[in-house]
C-alpha cells in the first residue's frame, strides 16, 4: 500500500484540532464552574432572594442549596447572614485545598465579604493566588499547616479581628482542638465539620500537632464528635442550631446574636452521615456496623470525663 503523506498530514491535523477543542471545552467548563459570572452563581442569587423571604425554619435542611459548597451549606449560610445582625462582614476558612469547593466561596462572590483562607499545601495556595477570587475580590490566602498553637496568630497577623462574621473549620483532624484554642475569637457564626461515625459519644482524636488523616487504613478515624463540639460551643458562649442534611457540618451561633433561632441539644440536631468515605472492593458501601469495626481499638479523648479511652465493639 502506497503511503499518502497528504492524507496522513490531514489526519494528524484533525487530531490536533480535536485535542485543542477538547482542551478549550475543559477550560470553558472549569471557568464557568468556578467563575463569579457563572450560571451557578446566578441561580444561587435567585435562590438567595427566595430564601430571604423565610422568617424561620424547623430544620436547616430547608435552607440548603449548593453553589460552591460541598453539600447544601451555601443556602444555610446565605439565610443566616441575611437573618442575623452581623456588623463585621469578614470570614476565615481553613482546610480549603484549592478553594474551588468551599463554604465561603459563594459568600465571597455574592456578598463581597472580606476573607482569609488557609491551607497547608503550597500548590493549593499558589492556585488560589493566581485565580479569579484573588484578582477581583478582597481575599487573603496563606500557606500554613494549622496547629492549635499557631492558628490564633495566623488569623490576627493577617488583620482579622475577634468579632468576624463567620469561621469555617474543616481540617479533617484537630478541628476540636483548634476551635478550643481560639479563646479570643468570637465569630457570629461558626461552622465545624464533625465525624458522625463517632455517633453521640463525646469523643475527639487525641491532639497531635502533625496529624494527617489516614485516608487508606484509618478512614473513619479523624476529627470530633458532634457531642464534643456542642459541649465546647456551650463553654464558649454559642448555641448549636443544627447540621446540614449530609451529616458533616455543624452550625453554632453566638448567644448574643441568636434572635429567634432555636437552640438544639446534640440529640435533637444530630444528623447521621449520608455519604461514604470509602467503599469495598466490589464498590458497595460499608454498613454502620462495619464502619464502627474499623474504629475498634482506636484511642480517643473523652471530653466529658477528660480521660483517654479505647473504642470497643
Amino acid at each position: 500500500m502506497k503511503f499518502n503523506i497528504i492524507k496522513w498530514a490531514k489526519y494528524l491535523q484533525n487530531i490536533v484540532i480535536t485535542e485543542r477543542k477538547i482542551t478549550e471545552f475543559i477550560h470553558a467548563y472549569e471557568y464557568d464552574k468556578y467563575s463569579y459570572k457563572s450560571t451557578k452563581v446566578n441561580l444561587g442569587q435567585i435562590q438567595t432572594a427566595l430564601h430571604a423571604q423565610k422568617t424561620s425554619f424547623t430544620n436547616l435542611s430547608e435552607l440548603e442549596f449548593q453553589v460552591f459548597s460541598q453539600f447544601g451549606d451555601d443556602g444555610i449560610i446565605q439565610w443566616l447572614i441575611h437573618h442575623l445582625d452581623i456588623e463585621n462582614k469578614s470570614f476565615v476558612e481553613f482546610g480549603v485545598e484549592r478553594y474551588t469547593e468551599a463554604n465561603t466561596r459563594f459568600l465571597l462572590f455574592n456578598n463581597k465579604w472580606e476573607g482569609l483562607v488557609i491551607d497547608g499545601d503550597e500548590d493549593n495556595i499558589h492556585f488560589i493566588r493566581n485565580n479569579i477570587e484573588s484578582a477581583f475580590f478582597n481575599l487573603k490566602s496563606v500557606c500554613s499547616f494549622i496547629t492549635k498553637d499557631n492558628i490564633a496568630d495566623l488569623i490576627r497577623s493577617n488583620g482579622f479581628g475577634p468579632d468576624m462574621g463567620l469561621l469555617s473549620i474543616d481540617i479533617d483532624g484537630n478541628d476540636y482542638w483548634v476551635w478550643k484554642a481560639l479563646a479570643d475569637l468570637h465569630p457570629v457564626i461558626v461552622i465545624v465539620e464533625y465525624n458522625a461515625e463517632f455517633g453521640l459519644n463525646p469523643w475527639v482524636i487525641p491532639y497531635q500537632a502533625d496529624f494527617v488523616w489516614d485516608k487508606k487504613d484509618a478512614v473513619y478515624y479523624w476529627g470530633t464528635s458532634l457531642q464534643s463540639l456542642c459541649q465546647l460551643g456551650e463553654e464558649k458562649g454559642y448555641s448549636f442550631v443544627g447540621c446540614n442534611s449530609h451529616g458533616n457540618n455543624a452550625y453554632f451561633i453566638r448567644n448574643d446574636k441568636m434572635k429567634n433561632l432555636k437552640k438544639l441539644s446534640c440529640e435533637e440536631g444530630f444528623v447521621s452521615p449520608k455519604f461514604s468515605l470509602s467503599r469495598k472492593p466490589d464498590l458497595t458501601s460499608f454498613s454502620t456496623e462495619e464502619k464502627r469495626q474499623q474504629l475498634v481499638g482506636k484511642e480517643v479523648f473523652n471530653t466529658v470525663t477528660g480521660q483517654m479511652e479505647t473504642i470497643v465493639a
Side-chain angles (χ1 to χ4, degrees):
M1 183 172 62
K2 186 180 294 186
F3 177 74
N4 189 319
I5 192 170
I6 296 177
K7 286 185 177 181
W8 182 245
K10 288 182 177 180
Y11 174 73
L12 291 177
Q13 184 182 40
N14 288 335
I15 292 177
V16 171
I17 292 172
T18 301
E19 183 179 359
R20 186 184 300 125
K21 287 182 177 179
I22 291 173
T23 301
E24 290 173 354
F25 173 80
I26 292 173
H27 287 166
Y29 171 77
E30 292 296 318
Y31 179 82
D32 185 67
K33 185 177 180 182
Y34 302 122
S35 172
Y36 72 101
K37 296 181 179 179
S38 73
T39 52
K40 289 179 62 174
V41 171
N42 297 147
L43 289 172
Q45 291 168 336
I46 294 171
Q47 289 175 301
T48 296
L50 293 172
H51 271 41
Q53 299 174 28
K54 292 178 179 284
T55 57
S56 62
F57 62 89
T58 56
N59 192 294
L60 284 182
S61 62
E62 300 169 19
L63 309 174
E64 292 187 344
F65 64 77
Q66 178 194 38
V67 182
F68 297 116
S69 54
Q70 184 178 23
F71 299 118
D73 298 272
D74 284 322
I76 298 173
I77 292 168
Q78 286 297 308
W79 190 89
L80 288 174
I81 68 166
H82 283 88
H83 182 75
L84 302 177
D85 296 323
I86 303 176
E87 295 79 22
N88 192 333
K89 307 292 197 284
S90 63
F91 66 82
V92 173
E93 181 172 10
F94 36 92
V96 296
E97 296 184 347
R98 289 192 162 196
Y99 199 55
T100 52
E101 181 180 84
N103 285 334
T104 59
R105 187 177 177 89
F106 185 60
L107 182 62
L108 180 75
F109 285 6
N110 186 54
N111 307 97
K112 312 301 186 293
W113 278 31
E114 177 185 9
L116 168 67
V117 293
I118 309 171
D119 194 84
D121 189 309
E122 290 184 2
D123 289 339
N124 288 339
I125 296 302
H126 176 77
F127 180 89
I128 295 169
R129 288 176 178 171
N130 287 276
N131 214 330
I132 195 166
E133 59 268 25
S134 297
F136 295 107
F137 297 92
N138 196 355
L139 182 74
K140 290 185 178 180
S141 50
V142 173
C143 181
S144 179
F145 189 89
I146 294 170
T147 70
K148 68 181 180 65
D149 298 311
N150 71 4
I151 185 58
D153 185 62
L154 281 170
I155 293 173
R156 185 170 49 249
S157 63
N158 280 282
F160 287 78
D163 296 314
M164 70 179 70
L166 184 146
L167 171 68
S168 180
I169 304 174
D170 177 2
I171 52 176
D172 302 325
N174 292 317
D175 306 65
Y176 170 90
W177 302 107
V178 167
W179 188 23
K180 185 179 179 68
L182 293 172
D184 297 324
L185 194 71
H186 311 289
V188 175
I189 304 167
V190 177
I191 309 167
V192 190
E193 186 176 43
Y194 70 99
N195 185 349
E197 302 302 343
F198 283 173
L200 293 173
N201 299 289
W203 293 344
V204 301
I205 61 168
Y207 181 73
Q208 182 181 332
D210 60 350
F211 178 87
V212 176
W213 180 26
D214 185 347
K215 298 181 182 181
K216 182 178 180 181
D217 297 321
V219 69
Y220 295 106
Y221 180 66
W222 56 273
T224 173
S225 70
L226 180 62
Q227 179 68 54
S228 294
L229 287 177
C230 289
Q231 176 190 346
L232 180 59
E234 187 78 25
E235 295 170 3
K236 284 177 165 287
Y238 285 82
S239 294
F240 170 57
V241 296
C243 301
N244 67 3
S245 62
H246 269 77
N248 75 317
N249 282 331
Y251 284 77
F252 299 86
I253 307 299
R254 205 172 73 201
N255 288 338
D256 65 317
K257 295 291 188 178
M258 279 287 285
K259 295 182 78 171
N260 65 334
L261 296 184
K262 180 185 177 182
K263 180 179 180 179
L264 302 179
S265 67
C266 175
E267 292 76 16
E268 289 174 318
F270 178 80
V271 177
S272 58
K274 305 301 189 293
F275 58 94
S276 182
L277 295 172
S278 64
R279 294 186 181 275
K280 300 176 185 179
D282 63 359
L283 299 182
T284 58
S285 298
F286 289 99
S287 66
T288 301
E289 293 73 21
E290 289 170 326
K291 292 175 183 177
R292 179 60 182 266
Q293 282 300 314
Q294 291 187 28
L295 290 171
V296 170
K298 298 294 185 182
E299 295 292 317
V300 289
F301 180 80
N302 186 312
T303 55
V304 171
T305 66
Q307 303 292 321
M308 294 290 296
E309 62 182 72
T310 302
I311 299 176
V312 297

